[in-house]
Short mmCIF file of all heavy atoms in Angstrom, two decimals:
data_model
loop_
_atom_site.label_atom_id
_atom_site.label_comp_id
_atom_site.label_asym_id
_atom_site.label_seq_id
_atom_site.Cartn_x
_atom_site.Cartn_y
_atom_site.Cartn_z
N HIS A 1 -9.87 -18.28 3.49
CA HIS A 1 -8.86 -17.30 3.87
C HIS A 1 -9.07 -16.03 3.06
O HIS A 1 -9.26 -16.10 1.85
CB HIS A 1 -7.45 -17.83 3.56
CG HIS A 1 -6.98 -18.85 4.54
ND1 HIS A 1 -5.89 -19.65 4.30
CD2 HIS A 1 -7.43 -19.20 5.77
CE1 HIS A 1 -5.69 -20.46 5.34
NE2 HIS A 1 -6.62 -20.20 6.24
N ARG A 2 -9.00 -14.89 3.71
CA ARG A 2 -9.10 -13.62 2.99
C ARG A 2 -8.28 -12.57 3.72
O ARG A 2 -8.18 -12.58 4.96
CB ARG A 2 -10.54 -13.16 2.84
CG ARG A 2 -11.25 -12.75 4.13
CD ARG A 2 -11.84 -13.94 4.83
NE ARG A 2 -12.72 -13.58 5.94
CZ ARG A 2 -13.21 -14.47 6.79
NH1 ARG A 2 -12.92 -15.76 6.69
NH2 ARG A 2 -14.02 -14.09 7.76
N GLY A 3 -7.70 -11.65 2.95
CA GLY A 3 -6.92 -10.56 3.53
C GLY A 3 -6.74 -9.46 2.50
O GLY A 3 -6.86 -9.69 1.29
N LEU A 4 -6.43 -8.26 2.99
CA LEU A 4 -6.26 -7.11 2.11
C LEU A 4 -4.79 -6.87 1.80
O LEU A 4 -3.94 -6.92 2.69
CB LEU A 4 -6.85 -5.85 2.76
CG LEU A 4 -8.37 -5.80 2.90
CD1 LEU A 4 -8.80 -4.50 3.56
CD2 LEU A 4 -9.04 -5.95 1.54
N LEU A 5 -4.51 -6.62 0.52
CA LEU A 5 -3.15 -6.33 0.07
C LEU A 5 -3.16 -5.03 -0.73
O LEU A 5 -4.11 -4.74 -1.46
CB LEU A 5 -2.62 -7.47 -0.81
CG LEU A 5 -2.46 -8.83 -0.11
CD1 LEU A 5 -2.03 -9.89 -1.13
CD2 LEU A 5 -1.46 -8.75 1.02
N PRO A 6 -2.09 -4.23 -0.62
CA PRO A 6 -2.03 -2.96 -1.36
C PRO A 6 -1.79 -3.20 -2.84
O PRO A 6 -0.99 -4.06 -3.23
CB PRO A 6 -0.85 -2.23 -0.72
CG PRO A 6 0.02 -3.32 -0.20
CD PRO A 6 -0.90 -4.43 0.23
N ALA A 7 -2.49 -2.44 -3.69
CA ALA A 7 -2.42 -2.63 -5.13
C ALA A 7 -2.24 -1.29 -5.82
O ALA A 7 -2.71 -0.26 -5.35
CB ALA A 7 -3.69 -3.32 -5.64
N SER A 8 -1.56 -1.33 -6.96
CA SER A 8 -1.46 -0.14 -7.80
C SER A 8 -2.64 -0.05 -8.75
O SER A 8 -2.99 1.02 -9.24
CB SER A 8 -0.15 -0.17 -8.60
OG SER A 8 -0.10 -1.33 -9.42
N GLU A 9 -3.27 -1.20 -9.00
CA GLU A 9 -4.45 -1.25 -9.86
C GLU A 9 -5.34 -2.37 -9.35
O GLU A 9 -4.87 -3.48 -9.07
CB GLU A 9 -4.05 -1.52 -11.31
CG GLU A 9 -5.22 -1.65 -12.26
CD GLU A 9 -4.79 -2.01 -13.68
OE1 GLU A 9 -3.58 -2.21 -13.90
OE2 GLU A 9 -5.68 -2.10 -14.55
N ALA A 10 -6.62 -2.09 -9.22
CA ALA A 10 -7.56 -3.11 -8.75
C ALA A 10 -8.90 -2.86 -9.41
O ALA A 10 -9.65 -1.95 -9.05
CB ALA A 10 -7.70 -3.07 -7.23
N SER A 11 -9.21 -3.67 -10.42
CA SER A 11 -10.48 -3.58 -11.12
C SER A 11 -11.06 -4.97 -11.25
O SER A 11 -10.42 -5.97 -10.87
CB SER A 11 -10.29 -2.96 -12.51
OG SER A 11 -9.56 -3.84 -13.35
N ALA A 12 -12.24 -5.07 -11.82
CA ALA A 12 -12.90 -6.36 -11.96
C ALA A 12 -12.14 -7.28 -12.90
O ALA A 12 -12.28 -8.51 -12.84
CB ALA A 12 -14.32 -6.16 -12.46
N THR A 13 -11.33 -6.70 -13.80
CA THR A 13 -10.62 -7.52 -14.79
C THR A 13 -9.13 -7.64 -14.51
O THR A 13 -8.48 -8.52 -15.06
CB THR A 13 -10.80 -6.92 -16.20
OG1 THR A 13 -10.32 -5.57 -16.20
CG2 THR A 13 -12.27 -6.95 -16.60
N ARG A 14 -8.59 -6.79 -13.65
CA ARG A 14 -7.14 -6.82 -13.45
C ARG A 14 -6.79 -6.28 -12.07
O ARG A 14 -7.30 -5.25 -11.65
CB ARG A 14 -6.43 -5.99 -14.52
CG ARG A 14 -4.91 -5.98 -14.41
CD ARG A 14 -4.30 -5.15 -15.52
NE ARG A 14 -2.85 -5.07 -15.42
CZ ARG A 14 -2.01 -5.96 -15.91
NH1 ARG A 14 -2.50 -7.02 -16.54
NH2 ARG A 14 -0.71 -5.83 -15.79
N VAL A 15 -5.93 -7.01 -11.37
CA VAL A 15 -5.39 -6.56 -10.09
C VAL A 15 -3.87 -6.65 -10.16
O VAL A 15 -3.31 -7.70 -10.50
CB VAL A 15 -5.92 -7.42 -8.93
CG1 VAL A 15 -5.18 -7.07 -7.64
CG2 VAL A 15 -7.42 -7.23 -8.75
N THR A 16 -3.20 -5.53 -9.86
CA THR A 16 -1.74 -5.50 -9.84
C THR A 16 -1.29 -5.06 -8.46
O THR A 16 -1.52 -3.91 -8.05
CB THR A 16 -1.19 -4.52 -10.90
OG1 THR A 16 -1.70 -4.88 -12.19
CG2 THR A 16 0.33 -4.56 -10.91
N LEU A 17 -0.68 -5.97 -7.72
CA LEU A 17 -0.20 -5.64 -6.38
C LEU A 17 1.03 -4.76 -6.47
O LEU A 17 1.78 -4.79 -7.45
CB LEU A 17 0.14 -6.93 -5.61
CG LEU A 17 -1.00 -7.92 -5.38
CD1 LEU A 17 -0.48 -9.12 -4.60
CD2 LEU A 17 -2.16 -7.27 -4.65
N LEU A 18 1.23 -3.95 -5.43
CA LEU A 18 2.46 -3.18 -5.35
C LEU A 18 3.65 -4.13 -5.28
O LEU A 18 3.58 -5.22 -4.69
CB LEU A 18 2.45 -2.29 -4.11
CG LEU A 18 1.41 -1.16 -4.06
CD1 LEU A 18 1.60 -0.33 -2.80
CD2 LEU A 18 1.51 -0.28 -5.29
N ARG A 19 4.75 -3.75 -5.89
CA ARG A 19 5.92 -4.63 -5.92
C ARG A 19 6.69 -4.58 -4.61
O ARG A 19 7.34 -5.55 -4.23
CB ARG A 19 6.84 -4.22 -7.07
CG ARG A 19 6.28 -4.58 -8.45
CD ARG A 19 7.19 -4.09 -9.55
NE ARG A 19 8.55 -4.59 -9.39
CZ ARG A 19 9.61 -4.12 -10.04
NH1 ARG A 19 9.46 -3.13 -10.91
NH2 ARG A 19 10.80 -4.64 -9.85
N GLU A 20 6.66 -3.45 -3.91
CA GLU A 20 7.38 -3.32 -2.65
C GLU A 20 6.42 -2.88 -1.55
O GLU A 20 5.42 -2.21 -1.82
CB GLU A 20 8.52 -2.32 -2.77
CG GLU A 20 9.65 -2.77 -3.70
CD GLU A 20 10.82 -1.81 -3.67
OE1 GLU A 20 10.70 -0.74 -3.01
OE2 GLU A 20 11.85 -2.11 -4.27
N SER A 21 6.75 -3.21 -0.33
CA SER A 21 5.93 -2.82 0.81
C SER A 21 6.22 -1.36 1.16
O SER A 21 7.34 -1.02 1.53
CB SER A 21 6.26 -3.71 2.02
OG SER A 21 5.96 -5.06 1.73
N PRO A 22 5.22 -0.48 1.04
CA PRO A 22 5.47 0.95 1.28
C PRO A 22 5.82 1.23 2.74
O PRO A 22 5.13 0.76 3.66
CB PRO A 22 4.15 1.62 0.90
CG PRO A 22 3.41 0.61 0.09
CD PRO A 22 3.84 -0.72 0.58
N PHE A 23 6.88 2.01 2.94
CA PHE A 23 7.23 2.54 4.25
C PHE A 23 6.97 4.04 4.20
O PHE A 23 7.55 4.75 3.38
CB PHE A 23 8.69 2.26 4.59
CG PHE A 23 9.10 2.78 5.95
CD1 PHE A 23 8.83 2.06 7.09
CD2 PHE A 23 9.74 4.01 6.08
CE1 PHE A 23 9.19 2.54 8.35
CE2 PHE A 23 10.10 4.49 7.32
CZ PHE A 23 9.83 3.76 8.46
N ILE A 24 6.07 4.52 5.03
CA ILE A 24 5.58 5.88 4.93
C ILE A 24 5.96 6.67 6.18
O ILE A 24 5.67 6.24 7.31
CB ILE A 24 4.04 5.90 4.75
CG1 ILE A 24 3.64 5.06 3.54
CG2 ILE A 24 3.52 7.33 4.60
CD1 ILE A 24 2.16 4.80 3.44
N ASP A 25 6.59 7.83 5.98
CA ASP A 25 6.90 8.77 7.05
C ASP A 25 5.78 9.80 7.08
O ASP A 25 5.63 10.60 6.15
CB ASP A 25 8.25 9.43 6.79
CG ASP A 25 8.67 10.36 7.91
OD1 ASP A 25 7.83 10.69 8.76
OD2 ASP A 25 9.84 10.80 7.92
N HIS A 26 5.00 9.81 8.14
CA HIS A 26 3.84 10.70 8.20
C HIS A 26 4.19 12.10 8.68
O HIS A 26 3.27 12.90 8.94
CB HIS A 26 2.76 10.08 9.09
CG HIS A 26 2.13 8.86 8.49
ND1 HIS A 26 1.31 8.92 7.39
CD2 HIS A 26 2.25 7.54 8.80
CE1 HIS A 26 0.91 7.70 7.07
NE2 HIS A 26 1.48 6.85 7.91
N ALA A 27 5.47 12.43 8.74
CA ALA A 27 5.85 13.82 9.00
C ALA A 27 5.28 14.73 7.91
O ALA A 27 4.92 15.89 8.17
CB ALA A 27 7.38 13.95 9.05
N GLU A 28 5.17 14.18 6.69
CA GLU A 28 4.59 14.96 5.59
C GLU A 28 3.13 15.29 5.86
O GLU A 28 2.58 16.22 5.26
CB GLU A 28 4.71 14.18 4.28
CG GLU A 28 6.13 13.85 3.88
CD GLU A 28 6.18 13.02 2.61
OE1 GLU A 28 5.27 13.16 1.77
OE2 GLU A 28 7.13 12.23 2.47
N ASP A 29 2.48 14.53 6.72
CA ASP A 29 1.07 14.76 7.06
C ASP A 29 0.91 15.54 8.36
O ASP A 29 -0.19 15.63 8.90
CB ASP A 29 0.35 13.41 7.21
CG ASP A 29 0.46 12.55 5.98
OD1 ASP A 29 0.15 13.05 4.88
OD2 ASP A 29 0.88 11.38 6.12
N GLY A 30 2.02 16.05 8.86
CA GLY A 30 1.96 16.78 10.11
C GLY A 30 2.02 15.90 11.33
O GLY A 30 1.65 16.33 12.43
N CYS A 31 2.49 14.65 11.16
CA CYS A 31 2.60 13.71 12.29
C CYS A 31 4.02 13.18 12.39
O CYS A 31 4.27 11.99 12.11
CB CYS A 31 1.61 12.56 12.13
SG CYS A 31 -0.12 13.04 12.14
N PRO A 32 5.01 14.01 12.75
CA PRO A 32 6.38 13.52 12.85
C PRO A 32 6.51 12.41 13.88
O PRO A 32 5.86 12.42 14.92
CB PRO A 32 7.18 14.76 13.25
CG PRO A 32 6.18 15.72 13.79
CD PRO A 32 4.90 15.43 13.10
N GLN A 33 7.35 11.45 13.56
CA GLN A 33 7.62 10.25 14.37
C GLN A 33 6.48 9.23 14.33
O GLN A 33 6.49 8.28 15.10
CB GLN A 33 7.97 10.60 15.82
CG GLN A 33 9.23 11.46 15.94
CD GLN A 33 10.44 10.82 15.25
OE1 GLN A 33 10.81 11.21 14.14
NE2 GLN A 33 11.06 9.86 15.90
N LEU A 34 5.55 9.40 13.38
CA LEU A 34 4.57 8.37 13.08
C LEU A 34 4.90 7.79 11.71
O LEU A 34 5.09 8.53 10.75
CB LEU A 34 3.15 8.95 13.07
CG LEU A 34 2.03 7.97 12.66
CD1 LEU A 34 1.87 6.86 13.70
CD2 LEU A 34 0.70 8.71 12.46
#
């Protein structure tokens, strides 16, 4: 089993996953309603 998870730090010696699932409003990127 393998899958990708978001991390705040990911190195060969230490991986720290994000504590919360990010919800992103892409209006800041010029894509409102995405």
Side-chain angles (χ1 to χ4, degrees):
H1 285 166
R2 68 275 190 188
L4 291 180
L5 297 175
S8 59
E9 177 184 3
S11 68
T13 58
R14 181 180 178 85
V15 172
T16 304
L17 299 180
L18 295 183
R19 288 177 55 194
E20 293 186 354
S21 299
F23 180 82
I24 304 169
D25 183 347
H26 291 290
E28 300 177 30
D29 304 308
C31 297
Q33 299 306 101
L34 176 66

